[in-house]
Amino acid sequence: SVVIPFHNEQLSTLLRTLTSVVKRSPSALLKEVILVDDCSTLDCSREELEKALWQWGGLVRVVRTTQREGSTKARVIGASYATQDVISYLDSHVEVNQRWLEPIVSHINTNNKAIVMSTLDTITTEKFELQGAGWGFHGGFNWNLEFYWKGLPDRILNKLQRTYDPVPSPIMPAGAFALHREFYMWLGLLDPDMKIWGVDDVEFSFRAWQCGASVEIHPCSHVGHIFRPHIPYTFGNDTSQRVVFHNSVRTAEVVLEHYKKFFYAQANHHKVDVNMTSLRARRQLKSDNNCHDFSWFMQNVIPEMPLPPQDAVHYEHIMPKETKDNCIDVDQTD
Ligand code: UDP
Ligand code: MN
């Protein structure tokens, strides 16, 4: 089941996504495509989209939310309609490449706890051309809970037998990944109480590893994605900073345990309302599933990342350029 959430996606890019999925997936593997229209307000394209879907005779269908749910909840809603063993999530402005699906399904077939991300190529925003991503990177995070690409450490390079082996990734972005549906349900899905956009994928990656998954990037499966220079939609009645902070707080509270102080020490704080009842339920789920704690994650999934000393009040990497005209000194007043 391919699940694609969208909010105000242009018809041309949405059709590029769908056409590539239908044409480049073997019919034995592709059973349904579920579009989740997250309360788009671009009504002009609605009829044209429905007309375009006829050509695929029921393979692609649209479910519509009645209020703006945000990308995470839209993904979760899409999963509730999925009927097949494997769910594959895609953004609505991608182009899947030849044989994008076979390696993913095959890998999940051998390990039903694998969460497999496709290699994300770039579709340029100027000419809409495909630019291949290089090999040798995977996802890390900083204490502000932001994702970033980092070079593969030796411990992984030494273990990989072939350049086409899936590469373990501590964190993965949510644009194109697949996993076993039942395992996904058991994990507790993406956190449905995340707002509009952001950090849901970081939270899910942490939690998935802690609960026995292995998050991997498959070098043989390629999906081109339009990385937009800025977010083109509104954040409801809220600001993007507040929404992202809200989602980061949920992440810190569910996965970081006593490491959360490193997040709070450096984050730009905003006044946000976090639903404590649902947070407690998310923590409870992790303990019911006997998931590892966050120290385990640091030691086993990303051991090359230096651990902040436990008595540190603040922890950050200082870049040389920031210190050029300043001196750093130890405050000895207390
Ligand atoms: N999306 C959605 N509802 C929203 C925001 C985003 O359904 O409120 C969809 C969006 O159309 C896209 C996916 O969620 O298909 C991921 O969002 P986006 O591509 O903006 O995230 P990015 O790739 O920039 O991280
Ligand atoms: Mn996207």
Side-chain angles (χ1 to χ4, degrees):
S1 306
V2 172
V3 174
I4 304 172
F6 71 97
H7 174 75
N8 285 355
E9 187 64 56
Q10 295 298 316
L11 188 64
S12 55
T13 44
L14 185 55
L15 289 181
R16 181 178 181 170
T17 305
L18 292 173
T19 305
S20 66
V21 168
V22 176
K23 286 203 165 161
R24 292 176 173 165
S25 310
S27 53
L29 292 185
L30 182 70
K31 293 300 177 195
E32 57 188 0
V33 179
I34 299 159
L35 286 173
V36 184
D37 179 351
D38 185 15
C39 214
S40 296
T41 49
L42 296 174
D43 268 345
C44 51
S45 58
R46 188 165 164 156
E47 228 174 89
E48 284 180 69
L49 173 64
E50 268 161 21
K51 248 190 252 163
L53 298 188
W54 289 347
Q55 65 184 300
W56 294 306
L59 180 66
V60 185
R61 64 203 167 106
V62 194
V63 298
R64 294 201 156 84
T65 63
T66 51
Q67 54 172 28
R68 177 85 180 279
E69 299 286 4
S71 58
T72 321
K73 184 82 181 286
R75 286 185 179 112
V76 168
I77 292 171
S80 72
Y81 287 88
T83 60
Q84 303 296 308
D85 287 346
V86 172
I87 291 179
S88 155
Y89 279 121
L90 292 174
D91 270 14
S92 45
H93 34 255
V94 303
E95 174 182 332
V96 301
N97 214 321
Q98 308 283 353
R99 279 178 282 283
W100 74 289
L101 189 57
E102 294 91 325
I104 295 179
V105 174
S106 156
H107 191 54
I108 295 170
N109 202 27
T110 56
N111 174 6
N112 63 11
K113 291 185 173 179
I115 299 180
V116 192
M117 181 194 145
S118 299
T119 300
L120 276 188
D121 296 328
T122 297
I123 297 176
T124 63
T125 47
E126 302 285 312
K127 294 192 176 167
F128 273 23
E129 290 169 330
L130 269 176
Q131 271 175 7
W135 183 88
F137 297 90
H138 70 177
F141 72 98
N142 62 25
W143 292 102
N144 212 19
L145 300 179
E146 291 156 331
F147 167 90
Y148 71 95
W149 292 108
K150 68 191 215 14
L152 293 179
D154 286 344
R155 73 182 164 90
I156 288 185
L157 287 171
N158 296 339
K159 258 202 225 143
L160 291 176
Q161 312 260 316
R162 300 161 296 224
T163 50
Y164 52 86
D165 283 340
V167 176
S169 185
I171 309 289
M172 64 158 187
F177 72 97
L179 74 184
H180 199 281
R181 189 167 59 91
E182 276 168 21
F183 180 56
Y184 184 38
M185 302 293 158
W186 179 85
L187 279 174
L189 305 125
L190 289 159
D191 177 353
D193 289 324
M194 293 282 182
K195 292 186 176 165
I196 307 290
W197 175 92
V199 210
D200 57 338
D201 39 11
V202 175
E203 190 274 344
F204 186 65
S205 306
F206 283 135
R207 182 159 47 84
W209 277 110
Q210 287 178 289
C211 304
S214 136
V215 180
E216 298 167 61
I217 303 173
H218 209 305
C220 303
S221 171
H222 279 253
V223 173
H225 172 259
I226 303 176
F227 293 92
R228 298 177 288 202
H230 42 78
I231 295 176
Y233 39 74
T234 65
F235 279 69
N237 300 325
D238 224 332
T239 63
S240 58
Q241 291 88 343
R242 257 206 304 267
V243 166
V244 170
F245 183 67
H246 167 272
N247 295 349
S248 307
V249 168
R250 285 194 72 83
T251 304
E253 293 294 336
V254 173
V255 297
L256 291 191
E257 295 143 28
H258 52 275
Y259 292 85
K260 70 184 179 188
K261 65 180 179 184
F262 301 121
F263 162 72
Y264 286 116
Q266 65 172 295
N268 284 323
H269 290 246
H270 299 271
K271 207 170 157 7
V272 290
D273 226 349
V274 180
N275 181 334
M276 293 311 288
T277 317
S278 93
L279 263 192
R280 273 192 288 274
R282 303 299 294 175
R283 289 203 203 104
Q284 188 60 43
L285 181 72
K286 272 185 69 188
S287 92
D288 291 347
N289 282 347
N290 280 323
C291 302
H292 291 291
D293 62 14
F294 195 70
S295 305
W296 177 91
F297 177 89
M298 293 303 292
Q299 280 158 26
N300 294 277
V301 183
I302 191 163
E304 62 280 2
M305 182 167 165
L307 269 179
Q310 275 310 309
D311 56 352
V313 263
H314 188 85
Y315 185 83
E316 204 166 7
H317 192 153
I318 297 169
M319 302 296 284
K321 68 174 185 325
E322 290 169 17
T323 61
K324 205 169 127 222
D325 303 316
N326 300 308
C327 299
I328 293 192
D329 209 344
V330 181
D331 181 356
Q332 294 178 329
T333 49
D334 49 22

